[in-house]
mmCIF file of all heavy atoms in Angstrom:
data_model
loop_
_atom_site.group_PDB
_atom_site.id
_atom_site.type_symbol
_atom_site.label_atom_id
_atom_site.label_comp_id
_atom_site.label_asym_id
_atom_site.label_seq_id
_atom_site.Cartn_x
_atom_site.Cartn_y
_atom_site.Cartn_z
ATOM 1 N N HIS A 870 2.810 66.101 55.079
ATOM 2 C CA HIS A 870 1.770 65.065 55.031
ATOM 3 C C HIS A 870 1.074 65.043 53.677
ATOM 4 O O HIS A 870 0.702 63.981 53.163
ATOM 5 C CB HIS A 870 0.744 65.305 56.151
ATOM 6 C CG HIS A 870 1.313 65.067 57.513
ATOM 7 N ND1 HIS A 870 1.707 63.827 57.969
ATOM 8 C CD2 HIS A 870 1.580 65.921 58.552
ATOM 9 C CE1 HIS A 870 2.176 63.926 59.202
ATOM 10 N NE2 HIS A 870 2.110 65.204 59.582
ATOM 11 N N VAL A 871 0.914 66.220 53.109
ATOM 12 C CA VAL A 871 0.264 66.304 51.793
ATOM 13 C C VAL A 871 1.119 65.641 50.729
ATOM 14 O O VAL A 871 0.630 64.915 49.858
ATOM 15 C CB VAL A 871 -0.023 67.779 51.426
ATOM 16 C CG1 VAL A 871 -0.541 67.871 50.007
ATOM 17 C CG2 VAL A 871 -1.018 68.397 52.398
ATOM 18 N N ALA A 875 0.215 62.371 48.520
ATOM 19 C CA ALA A 875 0.230 62.421 47.054
ATOM 20 C C ALA A 875 1.086 61.297 46.481
ATOM 21 O O ALA A 875 0.734 60.659 45.477
ATOM 22 C CB ALA A 875 0.747 63.779 46.582
ATOM 23 N N VAL A 878 -0.828 58.064 46.785
ATOM 24 C CA VAL A 878 -1.866 58.004 45.745
ATOM 25 C C VAL A 878 -1.245 57.643 44.393
ATOM 26 O O VAL A 878 -1.780 56.834 43.630
ATOM 27 C CB VAL A 878 -2.624 59.343 45.664
ATOM 28 C CG1 VAL A 878 -3.501 59.382 44.432
ATOM 29 C CG2 VAL A 878 -3.454 59.565 46.922
ATOM 30 N N GLU A 890 -3.068 46.345 33.128
ATOM 31 C CA GLU A 890 -2.256 45.819 32.024
ATOM 32 C C GLU A 890 -2.118 44.300 32.124
ATOM 33 O O GLU A 890 -2.268 43.572 31.139
ATOM 34 C CB GLU A 890 -0.876 46.472 32.048
ATOM 35 C CG GLU A 890 -0.863 47.926 31.598
ATOM 36 C CD GLU A 890 0.540 48.509 31.628
ATOM 37 O OE1 GLU A 890 1.469 47.790 32.079
ATOM 38 O OE2 GLU A 890 0.718 49.665 31.187
ATOM 39 N N ARG A 908 -8.562 24.426 18.459
ATOM 40 C CA ARG A 908 -7.851 23.873 17.308
ATOM 41 C C ARG A 908 -7.408 22.435 17.563
ATOM 42 O O ARG A 908 -7.472 21.591 16.667
ATOM 43 C CB ARG A 908 -6.632 24.743 16.986
ATOM 44 C CG ARG A 908 -6.969 26.108 16.404
ATOM 45 C CD ARG A 908 -5.703 26.832 15.996
ATOM 46 N NE ARG A 908 -5.997 28.129 15.407
ATOM 47 C CZ ARG A 908 -5.072 28.935 14.909
ATOM 48 N NH1 ARG A 908 -3.791 28.585 14.951
ATOM 49 N NH2 ARG A 908 -5.424 30.100 14.376
ATOM 50 N N GLU A 913 -7.988 16.749 16.523
ATOM 51 C CA GLU A 913 -8.248 15.401 17.039
ATOM 52 C C GLU A 913 -9.449 14.783 16.342
ATOM 53 O O GLU A 913 -9.436 13.594 15.988
ATOM 54 C CB GLU A 913 -8.469 15.452 18.551
ATOM 55 C CG GLU A 913 -7.209 15.740 19.346
ATOM 56 C CD GLU A 913 -7.491 15.889 20.827
ATOM 57 O OE1 GLU A 913 -8.687 16.039 21.193
ATOM 58 O OE2 GLU A 913 -6.526 15.859 21.628
ATOM 59 N N ALA A 916 -8.400 13.889 12.870
ATOM 60 C CA ALA A 916 -7.575 12.678 12.892
ATOM 61 C C ALA A 916 -8.446 11.440 13.065
ATOM 62 O O ALA A 916 -8.211 10.402 12.421
ATOM 63 C CB ALA A 916 -6.537 12.773 14.012
ATOM 64 N N TYR A 925 -11.727 2.194 6.712
ATOM 65 C CA TYR A 925 -12.757 1.729 5.791
ATOM 66 C C TYR A 925 -12.171 1.454 4.406
ATOM 67 O O TYR A 925 -12.423 0.394 3.806
ATOM 68 C CB TYR A 925 -13.865 2.772 5.685
ATOM 69 C CG TYR A 925 -14.863 2.498 4.571
ATOM 70 C CD1 TYR A 925 -15.829 1.511 4.710
ATOM 71 C CD2 TYR A 925 -14.811 3.219 3.377
ATOM 72 C CE1 TYR A 925 -16.726 1.245 3.694
ATOM 73 C CE2 TYR A 925 -15.703 2.962 2.344
ATOM 74 C CZ TYR A 925 -16.662 1.978 2.513
ATOM 75 O OH TYR A 925 -17.534 1.720 1.491
ATOM 76 N N ALA A 938 -7.634 -12.084 -5.974
ATOM 77 C CA ALA A 938 -6.581 -13.098 -5.911
ATOM 78 C C ALA A 938 -7.150 -14.505 -5.735
ATOM 79 O O ALA A 938 -6.446 -15.491 -5.975
ATOM 80 C CB ALA A 938 -5.624 -12.793 -4.764
ATOM 81 N N ARG A 944 -4.422 -21.246 -8.953
ATOM 82 C CA ARG A 944 -3.758 -21.631 -10.198
ATOM 83 C C ARG A 944 -2.239 -21.570 -10.069
ATOM 84 O O ARG A 944 -1.524 -22.447 -10.546
ATOM 85 C CB ARG A 944 -4.224 -20.727 -11.338
ATOM 86 C CG ARG A 944 -5.705 -20.873 -11.670
ATOM 87 C CD ARG A 944 -6.105 -19.937 -12.789
ATOM 88 N NE ARG A 944 -7.519 -20.067 -13.131
ATOM 89 C CZ ARG A 944 -8.117 -19.369 -14.084
ATOM 90 N NH1 ARG A 944 -7.432 -18.486 -14.788
ATOM 91 N NH2 ARG A 944 -9.400 -19.545 -14.337
ATOM 92 N N TYR A 950 -3.157 -23.373 -2.108
ATOM 93 C CA TYR A 950 -3.642 -22.203 -1.373
ATOM 94 C C TYR A 950 -4.771 -21.556 -2.170
ATOM 95 O O TYR A 950 -4.647 -21.365 -3.381
ATOM 96 C CB TYR A 950 -2.512 -21.202 -1.134
ATOM 97 C CG TYR A 950 -1.410 -21.764 -0.273
ATOM 98 C CD1 TYR A 950 -0.323 -22.413 -0.853
ATOM 99 C CD2 TYR A 950 -1.476 -21.690 1.109
ATOM 100 C CE1 TYR A 950 0.678 -22.967 -0.071
ATOM 101 C CE2 TYR A 950 -0.469 -22.244 1.904
ATOM 102 C CZ TYR A 950 0.601 -22.878 1.307
ATOM 103 O OH TYR A 950 1.580 -23.431 2.086
ATOM 104 N N ILE A 955 -5.581 -10.225 4.150
ATOM 105 C CA ILE A 955 -4.712 -9.044 4.193
ATOM 106 C C ILE A 955 -5.235 -8.115 5.281
ATOM 107 O O ILE A 955 -6.386 -7.678 5.228
ATOM 108 C CB ILE A 955 -4.702 -8.322 2.833
ATOM 109 C CG1 ILE A 955 -4.360 -9.313 1.709
ATOM 110 C CG2 ILE A 955 -3.705 -7.172 2.853
ATOM 111 C CD1 ILE A 955 -4.424 -8.710 0.333
ATOM 112 N N ASN A 958 -2.331 -3.480 7.953
ATOM 113 C CA ASN A 958 -0.924 -3.172 7.736
ATOM 114 C C ASN A 958 -0.366 -3.879 6.503
ATOM 115 O O ASN A 958 0.848 -3.942 6.315
ATOM 116 C CB ASN A 958 -0.108 -3.573 8.969
ATOM 117 C CG ASN A 958 -0.529 -2.808 10.202
ATOM 118 O OD1 ASN A 958 -0.769 -1.607 10.147
ATOM 119 N ND2 ASN A 958 -0.654 -3.510 11.324
ATOM 120 N N THR A 981 6.934 -20.822 -2.849
ATOM 121 C CA THR A 981 5.485 -20.615 -2.788
ATOM 122 C C THR A 981 5.151 -19.189 -2.387
ATOM 123 O O THR A 981 4.170 -18.615 -2.860
ATOM 124 C CB THR A 981 4.841 -21.622 -1.806
ATOM 125 O OG1 THR A 981 5.206 -22.952 -2.170
ATOM 126 C CG2 THR A 981 3.325 -21.498 -1.823
ATOM 127 N N ILE A 985 2.642 -16.715 -4.364
ATOM 128 C CA ILE A 985 1.550 -15.976 -3.718
ATOM 129 C C ILE A 985 1.667 -14.487 -4.013
ATOM 130 O O ILE A 985 0.680 -13.829 -4.359
ATOM 131 C CB ILE A 985 1.561 -16.234 -2.197
ATOM 132 C CG1 ILE A 985 1.172 -17.692 -1.905
ATOM 133 C CG2 ILE A 985 0.614 -15.276 -1.469
ATOM 134 C CD1 ILE A 985 1.377 -18.111 -0.462
ATOM 135 N N MET A 986 2.877 -13.931 -3.887
ATOM 136 C CA MET A 986 3.061 -12.504 -4.114
ATOM 137 C C MET A 986 2.861 -12.137 -5.580
ATOM 138 O O MET A 986 2.424 -11.023 -5.897
ATOM 139 C CB MET A 986 4.442 -12.052 -3.632
ATOM 140 C CG MET A 986 4.637 -12.200 -2.123
ATOM 141 S SD MET A 986 3.224 -11.594 -1.129
ATOM 142 C CE MET A 986 3.218 -9.842 -1.549
ATOM 143 N N ARG A 990 0.343 -9.296 -6.844
ATOM 144 C CA ARG A 990 0.716 -8.243 -7.801
ATOM 145 C C ARG A 990 -0.267 -8.196 -8.962
ATOM 146 O O ARG A 990 -0.676 -7.119 -9.404
ATOM 147 C CB ARG A 990 2.134 -8.487 -8.319
ATOM 148 C CG ARG A 990 3.221 -8.225 -7.293
ATOM 149 C CD ARG A 990 4.534 -8.820 -7.708
ATOM 150 N NE ARG A 990 5.016 -8.299 -8.973
ATOM 151 C CZ ARG A 990 6.030 -8.835 -9.659
ATOM 152 N NH1 ARG A 990 6.649 -9.904 -9.193
ATOM 153 N NH2 ARG A 990 6.418 -8.299 -10.794
ATOM 154 N N LEU A 993 -3.464 -6.626 -7.792
ATOM 155 C CA LEU A 993 -3.330 -5.169 -7.727
ATOM 156 C C LEU A 993 -3.452 -4.555 -9.116
ATOM 157 O O LEU A 993 -4.077 -3.502 -9.295
ATOM 158 C CB LEU A 993 -1.986 -4.792 -7.098
ATOM 159 C CG LEU A 993 -1.826 -5.093 -5.608
ATOM 160 C CD1 LEU A 993 -0.385 -4.862 -5.160
ATOM 161 C CD2 LEU A 993 -2.763 -4.236 -4.781
ATOM 162 N N THR A 1022 8.170 -21.812 -12.848
ATOM 163 C CA THR A 1022 8.133 -20.863 -13.959
ATOM 164 C C THR A 1022 7.215 -21.367 -15.065
ATOM 165 O O THR A 1022 6.377 -20.612 -15.589
ATOM 166 C CB THR A 1022 9.544 -20.628 -14.521
ATOM 167 O OG1 THR A 1022 10.381 -20.098 -13.491
ATOM 168 C CG2 THR A 1022 9.514 -19.650 -15.684
ATOM 169 N N ARG A 1031 -4.594 -16.960 -18.538
ATOM 170 C CA ARG A 1031 -5.942 -17.196 -18.036
ATOM 171 C C ARG A 1031 -6.269 -16.365 -16.793
ATOM 172 O O ARG A 1031 -7.320 -16.532 -16.194
ATOM 173 C CB ARG A 1031 -6.102 -18.690 -17.704
ATOM 174 C CG ARG A 1031 -5.975 -19.595 -18.916
ATOM 175 C CD ARG A 1031 -6.061 -21.059 -18.540
ATOM 176 N NE ARG A 1031 -4.822 -21.549 -17.941
ATOM 177 C CZ ARG A 1031 -4.751 -22.250 -16.820
ATOM 178 N NH1 ARG A 1031 -5.840 -22.524 -16.144
ATOM 179 N NH2 ARG A 1031 -3.592 -22.663 -16.353
ATOM 180 N N VAL A 1032 -5.347 -15.475 -16.413
ATOM 181 C CA VAL A 1032 -5.545 -14.690 -15.191
ATOM 182 C C VAL A 1032 -6.698 -13.715 -15.335
ATOM 183 O O VAL A 1032 -7.528 -13.560 -14.443
ATOM 184 C CB VAL A 1032 -4.247 -13.935 -14.827
ATOM 185 C CG1 VAL A 1032 -4.523 -12.867 -13.775
ATOM 186 C CG2 VAL A 1032 -3.208 -14.908 -14.302
ATOM 187 N N VAL A 1041 6.596 -10.479 -20.782
ATOM 188 C CA VAL A 1041 7.391 -11.014 -19.682
ATOM 189 C C VAL A 1041 8.868 -10.945 -20.051
ATOM 190 O O VAL A 1041 9.260 -11.391 -21.134
ATOM 191 C CB VAL A 1041 7.005 -12.477 -19.378
ATOM 192 C CG1 VAL A 1041 7.819 -13.006 -18.206
ATOM 193 C CG2 VAL A 1041 5.515 -12.598 -19.079
ATOM 194 N N THR A 1069 11.012 -13.245 -33.136
ATOM 195 C CA THR A 1069 10.474 -14.469 -33.729
ATOM 196 C C THR A 1069 9.004 -14.569 -33.418
ATOM 197 O O THR A 1069 8.586 -14.345 -32.275
ATOM 198 C CB THR A 1069 11.193 -15.719 -33.149
ATOM 199 O OG1 THR A 1069 12.604 -15.537 -33.283
ATOM 200 C CG2 THR A 1069 10.753 -16.963 -33.870
ATOM 201 N N GLY A 1071 6.162 -16.658 -32.407
ATOM 202 C CA GLY A 1071 6.087 -17.963 -31.764
ATOM 203 C C GLY A 1071 7.418 -18.298 -31.139
ATOM 204 O O GLY A 1071 8.459 -17.684 -31.445
#
Side-chain angles (χ1 to χ4, degrees):
H870 291 293
V871 173
V878 169
E890 287 181 356
R908 289 186 179 183
E913 289 176 346
Y925 170 76
R944 295 179 180 181
Y950 297 91
I955 307 176
N958 298 318
T981 305
I985 292 170
M986 296 315 297
R990 289 165 59 192
L993 291 172
T1022 300
R1031 296 177 283 131
V1032 166
V1041 181
T1069 308

